[in-house]
Amino acid sequence: MRILGIESSCDETAAAIVKDGQHLLSNIVASSMDLHAQYGGVVPEIAARSHIEAIMPVIQQALNAANCTWDDVDGIAVTYGAGLGGSLLIGVLAARTLAIIHKKPLYSINHVEGHIYANFLTSTSLLGYQMRTVQPEFPMLGIIVSGGHSQIVLFRDHFDYTLLGQTQDDAIGEAFDKVAKMLGLAYPGGPSVAKAALEGDSNRYKLPKAKMGKYDFSFSGLKTAVLRLCQAEIGEKYDFPSTKLSERLSEAQKHNIAASFQRIAIETIVDKAKLAFEEFAPKSIVIGGGVAASQELRRQLSQALPLPIPIEYPDMKLCTDNGAMIATLGCFTASLGQPEADPYTLDIAPNLSM
Ligand code: KG4
Ligand code: ZN
């Protein structure tokens, strides 16, 4: 079974073909990230306009790269939430139209759940991908760390899961992006904070870790603590504008603040993962979302969980938003008899939760 996956929830226009829920045949991603960089974050109108321009060429490229025609495609899976309304609309309308024209079943996919399914891909003929060799086993602990979500989920089986906890305010990736902006580092913040942190001392500053419900997270207090720390470091009061901080901070201060923030933000996630591992004894742990690319996360998790089971991460290109994860979950949706979406009525769900 070959499924075309379409993803447009944020600033990546992406399409991919996946066979039988594990073979990646193509993976095309067009990002409008460069257009947002000058604003220090995604501008929804610019993202939506970029999706309109990119969506059809990206889908055609995904078919070409997989050596597929429409006759070879058994169904279309599309992200319908969570995400930016204008962005989601372009992917969903394209998928609905193509499903009607080519008479293909349509599957509506939850983007956050999709991130987890990047871990079910085990093979590809595409160059430059590092694939895991076996699919994760159930019960499986899923940790989703992205720009929009921070969640910890226990999967007993496909489509049978419990949301153990989630962020009560900002997502971890969003905190990286905001801290990067304060320090005058490039967008997206994850990689630029990580780079600055390499030069810094992660124990130089003491930053707070939020105390939340057992498996819940919070990052907004940490973000404010970084703001106050920056202001204190340059000898200014709490009303000093965050946009002017980076001009006054030295390179060494920026590196140390980035390293101290990164350590605590990642520790927040790792503490809960350890707790859930001890309580539920899962057979596998999978990480999904853009922050899964973080080397600090990988370092801390491997230290905190000295496991008989290895923790596996998707290839870096499958950590950030992509169509492959959507197509993979689409394959399971189709093969396990989950309901199809109606191509005449499928709506977007910007606030969709797991
Ligand atoms: O999953 P994703 O591509 O988009 C959403 O669904 O939100 O995640 C994007 C997020 C951004 O906030 C970015 O700063 C973060 O992933 N990110 C990282 C790293 N690479 C990307 N965060 C920490 N360390 C990284 N190396
Ligand atoms: Zn995402």
Side-chain angles (χ1 to χ4, degrees), residues 9-10 12 111 115 145-149 172-174 176-177 188-191 194 262 266 289-291 293-295 319-321:
S9 66
C10 191
E12 268 96 23
H111 175 87
H115 269 301
V145 278
S146 76
H149 301 273
I172 182 168
E174 195 180 339
F176 270 91
D177 295 339
Q262 177 177 255
I266 297 291
V291 184
S294 164
Q295 292 302 322
C319 284
T320 46
D321 290 350

Side-chain angles (χ1 to χ4, degrees), residues 76 78 99 104-109 338-346:
I76 301 174
V78 64
K104 304 290 176 189
L106 180 66
Y107 304 101
S108 55
I109 303 294
Q338 294 290 308
E340 289 177 22
D342 182 340
Y344 289 95
T345 59
L346 176 63

Side-chain angles (χ1 to χ4, degrees), residues 100-148:
I100 293 167
I101 294 172
H102 297 288
K103 299 188 177 57
K104 304 290 176 189
L106 180 66
Y107 304 101
S108 55
I109 303 294
N110 180 331
H111 175 87
V112 185
E113 209 177 323
H115 269 301
I116 291 294
Y117 275 76
N119 288 284
F120 282 84
L121 287 163
T122 57
S123 72
T124 184
S125 48
L126 303 175
L127 296 177
Y129 281 79
Q130 243 185 335
M131 307 300 279
R132 54 189 294 158
T133 48
V134 288
Q135 291 189 320
E137 278 185 81
F138 295 103
M140 166 179 93
L141 190 64
I143 299 166
I144 300 137
V145 278
S146 76

Side-chain angles (χ1 to χ4, degrees), residues 4-7 12-17 24-31 54-55 57-66 126 129 318 321-324:
L4 165 69
I6 298 175
E7 156 64 36
E12 268 96 23
T13 318
I17 308 270
L24 179 63
L25 302 184
S26 66
N27 187 36
I28 306 294
V29 180
S31 178
I55 191 100
V58 162
I59 292 170
Q60 191 56 51
Q61 276 182 53
L63 288 165
N64 295 349
L126 303 175
Y129 281 79
L318 301 171
D321 290 350
N322 63 83

Side-chain angles (χ1 to χ4, degrees), residues 39-99:
Y39 306 102
V42 174
V43 182
E45 290 78 6
I46 294 177
R49 203 175 321 130
S50 303
H51 286 308
I52 294 175
E53 287 167 9
I55 191 100
M56 293 314 291
V58 162
I59 292 170
Q60 191 56 51
Q61 276 182 53
L63 288 165
N64 295 349
N67 281 325
C68 283
T69 67
W70 280 103
D71 287 342
D72 304 313
V73 174
D74 298 296
I76 301 174
V78 64
T79 301
Y80 77 114
L84 300 170
S87 290
L88 287 166
L89 205 54
I90 312 303
V92 166
L93 285 177
R96 285 173 51 180
T97 309
L98 291 167

Side-chain angles (χ1 to χ4, degrees), residues 8-327:
S8 71
S9 66
C10 191
D11 57 346
E12 268 96 23
T13 318
I17 308 270
V18 169
K19 186 169 166 248
D20 301 335
Q22 57 179 333
H23 306 292
L24 179 63
L25 302 184
S26 66
N27 187 36
I28 306 294
V29 180
S31 178
S32 58
M33 193 185 287
D34 293 348
L35 301 177
H36 307 288
Q38 59 177 308
Y39 306 102
V42 174
V43 182
E45 290 78 6
I46 294 177
R49 203 175 321 130
S50 303
H51 286 308
I52 294 175
E53 287 167 9
I55 191 100
M56 293 314 291
V58 162
I59 292 170
Q60 191 56 51
Q61 276 182 53
L63 288 165
N64 295 349
N67 281 325
C68 283
T69 67
W70 280 103
D71 287 342
D72 304 313
V73 174
D74 298 296
I76 301 174
V78 64
T79 301
Y80 77 114
L84 300 170
S87 290
L88 287 166
L89 205 54
I90 312 303
V92 166
L93 285 177
R96 285 173 51 180
T97 309
L98 291 167
I100 293 167
I101 294 172
H102 297 288
K103 299 188 177 57
K104 304 290 176 189
L106 180 66
Y107 304 101
S108 55
I109 303 294
N110 180 331
H111 175 87
V112 185
E113 209 177 323
H115 269 301
I116 291 294
Y117 275 76
N119 288 284
F120 282 84
L121 287 163
T122 57
S123 72
T124 184
S125 48
L126 303 175
L127 296 177
Y129 281 79
Q130 243 185 335
M131 307 300 279
R132 54 189 294 158
T133 48
V134 288
Q135 291 189 320
E137 278 185 81
F138 295 103
M140 166 179 93
L141 190 64
I143 299 166
I144 300 137
V145 278
S146 76
H149 301 273
S150 307
Q151 298 186 325
I152 182 155
V153 188
L154 182 70
F155 285 78
R156 284 170 291 276
D157 204 341
H158 296 292
F159 308 108
D160 176 11
Y161 58 76
T162 304
L163 175 63
L164 299 178
Q166 60 185 329
T167 182
Q168 300 299 301
D169 38 59
D170 298 346
I172 182 168
E174 195 180 339
F176 270 91
D177 295 339
K178 298 261 169 65
V179 166
K181 208 169 171 180
M182 282 182 226
L183 300 179
L185 304 173
Y187 173 83
S192 58
V193 167
K195 190 162 170 244
L198 284 177
E199 318 255 329
D201 172 3
S202 64
N203 291 304
R204 174 66 183 78
Y205 300 108
K206 219 175 146 43
L207 290 164
K209 223 187 283 177
K211 295 206 170 35
M212 306 295 293
K214 194 165 182 190
Y215 291 113
D216 287 331
F217 313 105
S218 160
F219 291 100
S220 102
L222 174 58
K223 200 178 64 188
T224 308
V226 172
L227 173 65
R228 298 286 174 257
L229 169 63
C230 294
Q231 291 164 335
E233 281 293 296
I234 58 168
E236 292 285 354
K237 290 210 286 288
Y238 68 89
D239 54 355
F240 186 81
S242 65
T243 47
K244 300 225 175 317
L245 288 169
S246 69
E247 299 162 16
R248 303 265 301 270
L249 289 163
S250 71
E251 288 304 297
Q253 282 170 320
K254 288 182 194 175
H255 295 158
N256 289 334
I257 294 168
S260 302
F261 157 77
Q262 177 177 255
R263 179 175 64 78
I264 291 292
I266 297 291
E267 246 176 58
T268 306
I269 300 286
V270 172
D271 287 352
K272 307 283 172 162
K274 188 165 189 276
L275 210 58
F277 178 75
E278 284 162 2
E279 181 169 349
F280 300 106
K283 284 202 178 134
S284 62
I285 298 183
V286 301
I287 321 288
V291 184
S294 164
Q295 292 302 322
E296 175 67 7
L297 177 68
R298 294 168 187 225
R299 188 189 67 75
Q300 283 196 26
L301 270 179
S302 64
Q303 256 180 13
L305 305 172
L307 299 172
I309 49 165
I311 312 164
E312 299 231 33
Y313 302 85
D315 183 276
M316 293 284 188
K317 295 181 281 306
L318 301 171
C319 284
T320 46
D321 290 350
N322 63 83
M325 65 190 200
I326 304 304

